[in-house]
Amino acid sequence: MLAVRARQGGPANRLPLHQFLRLIAGHGRMMEHGAAATNDDLVQSLKRGGVIQSDRVQRAMQLCPRDHFVPPVHRDEALIDAPIRVEAHDFNISAPHMHATCLEALALQPGHKFLDVGSGCGILTAAGAYLVGRSGMAVGFDVRRECIQMGRESLRQLVANSPEFAATACPVRFELQNVFTPAFKWLGQFDRVHVGASCPPDRLAPLVALLRPEGGLIVVPVAPNDLRVITKRPNGTVTQKVISQVRFSDLEVPSEAEVLLATLRCERRQRTAPADHPSTFADDVAAIVAASPASTPSAAAGNGCTFAPSPMPTPCGSFSEAPGAFMPGSSPGSAGEGMPPTPQGGGGGLRRLSKLFSSCSSGFGGSDHAMAEAGMAGPQPASPSAASASGSAAPPVRLQPEELGEPDCLLVGAGWTIPVHRSVLRQRCDHFRARCDRGWADSSADRVAVPDHFSHEAVDAFLHYCYHDSMQECVDPQEAVSVLHVALFYSCPRLVHLCELRLAQLLRAGSGAAAADKRAARRNGKAPAAAADGAELDEEGLADAAAALLGIADDNGLAHLRAVALDWIVHHYEAVARTEAYHNLSREQVALVAEEACRLHAAMIRHIQRMAEQPPLPDPSY
């Protein structure tokens, strides 16, 4: 029988109840109580009490001091072996003995991929990053943005102040994510999962889906009081074992309807995500410089054309000493040979788009961050990992005036001419490369005509891309369609990709703002506010634009823009079906809309059936 009195037997030596319960939960191991003088003292007391058993877990907890991770207002509680309630952010930081117990049960090894669900202040995620080492991976999920920021900042300071941790631990990634709402990229990715809050027994199966097919292990508190180890074996069998009785706050569990909606949204994002289209600018610049020695005389000089020495494109897309000078052209009759079909700029679809874009353009500028997220930023370092390994970012690749020399070709439009470098056009454009490589009759002409229906601004933006590898920020959204036509005509796949991203971003931004307003109104218990006349025009314009963009995308094989337009039409069908642009779609394009709607309906039914048929995990052993 377990004695609860000291040998002297006096009432003053009676074991406190909380220590008695902790002793039972710890299988007979006694831990010291009270505040430790330092984090090392706290860890040593856990070691003496038998909670910490391995030297690796001991070192992990020493390198991740608790007083470093708790908010400053709670620092005086940090070195006490007890939970901390962070009322300001509505979460708890588990007691050190519980962190040690979970780390021991996880048995993290170098190279493991580790997920910490409910990462909170980030201390257990950091300890896990040390245990899995540089060859491993550590990820923290939390539903509170404040916790994500707290964890990131604590890790940043820890890396800066602890050379041993910085040299030994893997990078830590914190994500704002509810583990029950799907993020498909994480399914089947982890060797070990820790859950920092109590999970209902009927929601354990989604956690098992996070483990790798080869198997893995989950340490999770399960309501009402179990601390369980769930083991998945390579043959797919799953077992549970209760290793202690604990008390945790509840995990935030969404309803099944919320999980279904989140699953559909996640699939929607995947379906409309753009394909990767890496830049070739660094290689192109090297080839351009090799073909354009600064000493090369201007080919156009013999024709009486005078060029300013080494003009370069400005951020607005024109040569600094030749305003508006910037565009490639083609000879009538031969330019379109072998090229993709190109919509004409004066078509009715563009006129309809123009109404929308002129009303939406003021809110569509896009920050540098948004442009980078969409992939519309300028050239990036060829190897980010190499740049980070060297401790500094690689400098951006640029075309220097002294390397290009004088322009050697003159592009002629309707009322304007632009001097350009033939080597730039040849290297950056499949169209001009084909002209040169196939020996077209006008491939060496000093003056090249530009089709009349291409606007000066659109070709100006096209040349900005050729020289800078980015899409002009000053391009109005309505011009994106015109730039797209130029990019298709001159066969510049990456510029086509950037135009697709910009037009897709327009639809997403418009529908996202409207949806956010409606969600906010519902949260406040109010009906959505009536739209102003201008807002109604914008919504009508978005519906019209979605149909027009579907036609353009389908006609020209633009897979990303077609996916985004189809998605928008299916989710706003009632509004789109009333537009002129929708009625102008071909029979085949209307069939695409019907196919997309049927596919989404079938996917929803499939998810509902899967959720209904998901078997429970086997009962745990003790």
Side-chain angles (χ1 to χ4, degrees), residues 272-294:
T272 58
D276 186 30
H277 206 298
S279 171
T280 61
F281 193 58
D283 293 338
D284 290 345
V285 167
I288 290 167
V289 171
S292 303

Side-chain angles (χ1 to χ4, degrees), residues 22 32-46 61-62 64-71 74-84 93-97 123:
R22 187 180 296 176
E32 299 169 13
H33 186 60
T38 66
N39 184 72
D40 282 349
D41 290 342
L42 176 62
V43 174
Q44 288 295 337
S45 72
L46 296 173
M61 294 188 69
Q62 287 173 334
C64 302
R66 196 177 191 226
D67 52 343
H68 173 84
F69 283 87
V70 303
H74 296 285
R75 292 279 162 82
D76 58 343
E77 306 172 62
L79 300 181
I80 301 174
D81 186 20
I84 297 174
I93 300 174
S94 295
H97 75 271
I123 185 170

